[in-house]
Amino acid sequence: MAGETVLVVGGAGYIGSHTCLDLANKGFRPVVYDNFSNGHREFVKWGPAEEGDIRDRARLDEVLAKYKPAAILHFAALIEVGESVKDPVSFYENNVIGTLTLLSAAQTAGIGAFVFSSTCATYGLPQSVPLDESHRQVPINPYGRTKYIVEQALADYDQYKGLRSVVLRYFNAAGADFEGRIGEWHTPETHAIPLAIDAALGRRQGFKVFGSDYDTRDGTCVRDYIHVLDLADAHVRAVEYLLRGGESVALNLGTGTGTTVKELLSTIETVSNRPFPVEYVGRREGDSTTLVANNDKARDVLGWSPKYDLSRIIESAWNWHAKSNQH
């Protein structure tokens, strides 16, 4: 498979750019297709970039004809849950209509391998923890619903059109390239680790914790934080699996280890050696008490297992935000 071209749609974003790095390290040629609405041109370092929107069928056809990729990795989604509630139309237009346009272009181009960036938000409120792939899917916000709709479409494309896919349901992506070349950079930032690191760096007044009365070991929510490089590794393994003829499958990507918000903040203080103000406020609507992955299936199907623990996640994130990210 060395030398094969892979089209990385949304490859200038956070997880997409780290996956391009891993693809290049493993001998693939990543081609980035991005409209740069949320991605960063500075993050395109390991292959050519083509500017375009996933809703632009003519542009997609042009790029696919030019590069003839063996597979497509699809990261180009709107992801902010709160925004999806305020503006569901944009989420359906981009995440659903855009993905269906991309799939149609892939079919016409004869591409039979597709890796989809999905989310544990398709499960909705957990009925049991840790969550495995057989857990019911009842998303509770427009973001989760748009991802679930695409998952259902992919199952139909596989059954009726022969387009094989790997659906990867992430838990909480975190961390950065250890060399500090790329990292997490969202505008505005909504994720816990960068917000807390910014508080430790004095870039924010402090950090707000939503809810301290949950039924957990310290009263705060539990989440499964997974290093972005572990996610990238899983995506490349998914490409290799499909190119070897693997069947369509949906897989959870998490560590299987839960971390409370208090434990997360304590680790950030330890790594940074910089205490910062923390304010405890009321619960936030829609937050689940505990979200932790059962990742056994990804281990079995892809031979994948996460390498980095929470301390390494925070070390890499601290290095990126303290030295590299422009604010």
Side-chain angles (χ1 to χ4, degrees):
M1 297 176 200
E4 291 274 25
T5 296
V6 177
L7 187 70
V8 186
V9 181
Y14 175 40
I15 301 169
S17 60
H18 286 83
T19 303
C20 287
L21 165 61
D22 200 59
L23 283 164
N25 285 342
K26 292 173 180 169
F28 289 93
R29 182 194 186 204
V31 175
V32 170
Y33 183 88
D34 205 298
N35 66 5
F36 298 104
S37 60
N38 293 309
H40 309 283
R41 294 179 193 276
E42 303 96 312
F43 282 8
V44 183
K45 299 174 181 285
W46 294 280
E50 294 286 346
E51 186 165 359
D53 193 283
I54 55 172
R55 293 163 291 187
D56 186 343
R57 176 61 191 273
R59 182 70 177 129
L60 284 168
D61 288 343
E62 182 184 349
V63 169
L64 289 170
K66 179 177 178 180
Y67 293 99
K68 298 179 173 58
I72 293 175
L73 283 157
H74 176 28
F75 298 96
L78 299 178
I79 63 167
E80 218 288 292
V81 171
E83 280 302 309
S84 79
V85 174
K86 294 176 193 169
D87 182 17
V89 173
S90 292
F91 277 70
Y92 278 90
E93 286 180 347
N94 185 88
N95 295 4
V96 177
I97 295 172
T99 302
L100 295 177
T101 305
L102 174 62
L103 286 169
S104 183
Q107 282 271 283
T108 300
I111 296 163
F114 192 90
V115 179
F116 178 57
S117 163
S118 193
T119 170
C120 66
T122 64
Y123 294 123
L125 299 174
Q127 304 297 297
S128 59
V129 177
L131 291 91
D132 66 20
E133 291 82 358
S134 66
H135 188 286
R136 69 175 198 175
Q137 290 180 282
V138 188
I140 61 171
N141 52 59
Y143 165 65
R145 278 190 283 274
T146 61
K147 291 287 193 173
Y148 180 48
I149 289 167
V150 172
E151 288 196 18
Q152 292 175 298
L154 285 169
D156 283 339
Y157 275 69
D158 173 48
Q159 184 171 351
Y160 302 111
K161 301 298 287 183
L163 176 64
R164 291 172 299 112
S165 62
V166 175
V167 168
L168 297 174
R169 297 177 188 145
Y170 310 168
F171 282 65
N172 288 64
D177 165 44
F178 284 96
E179 293 182 32
R181 293 166 289 185
I182 51 178
E184 190 163 10
W185 180 4
H186 297 120
T187 307
E189 186 54 74
T190 59
H191 293 168
I193 291 175
L195 290 175
I197 287 175
D198 276 352
L201 288 166
R203 294 172 178 164
R204 304 178 64 84
Q205 292 300 307
F207 184 87
K208 279 186 180 177
V209 177
F210 296 97
S212 56
D213 59 348
Y214 285 97
D215 184 17
T216 62
R217 53 186 172 266
D218 62 22
T220 61
C221 289
V222 174
R223 294 292 181 266
D224 187 339
Y225 295 96
I226 179 165
H227 201 290
V228 66
L229 291 177
D230 283 327
L231 287 178
D233 175 49
H235 283 80
V236 180
R237 287 172 182 264
V239 169
E240 293 169 339
Y241 163 82
L242 289 171
L243 293 182
R244 288 194 302 266
E247 297 178 354
S248 293
V249 66
L251 304 170
N252 286 340
L253 296 183
T255 64
T257 300
T259 300
T260 70
V261 178
K262 282 185 180 177
E263 291 164 350
L264 177 70
L265 299 179
S266 175
T267 305
I268 292 171
E269 284 200 358
T270 300
V271 169
S272 67
N273 198 28
R274 295 195 190 188
F276 52 93
V278 176
E279 179 186 1
Y280 290 87
V281 297
R283 293 186 183 193
R284 187 168 51 186
E285 186 181 355
D287 275 349
S288 295
T289 302
T290 302
L291 287 173
V292 177
N294 177 325
N295 61 17
D296 291 348
K297 194 171 179 182
R299 292 173 189 264
D300 293 344
V301 173
L302 301 180
W304 171 86
S305 59
K307 298 175 186 172
Y308 303 109
D309 63 10
L310 184 66
S311 291
R312 295 288 279 156
I313 288 172
I314 301 303
E315 285 169 19
S316 64
W318 175 261
N319 177 53
W320 163 252
H321 288 286
K323 298 177 182 175
S324 304
N325 204 354
Q326 301 301 311
H327 291 75

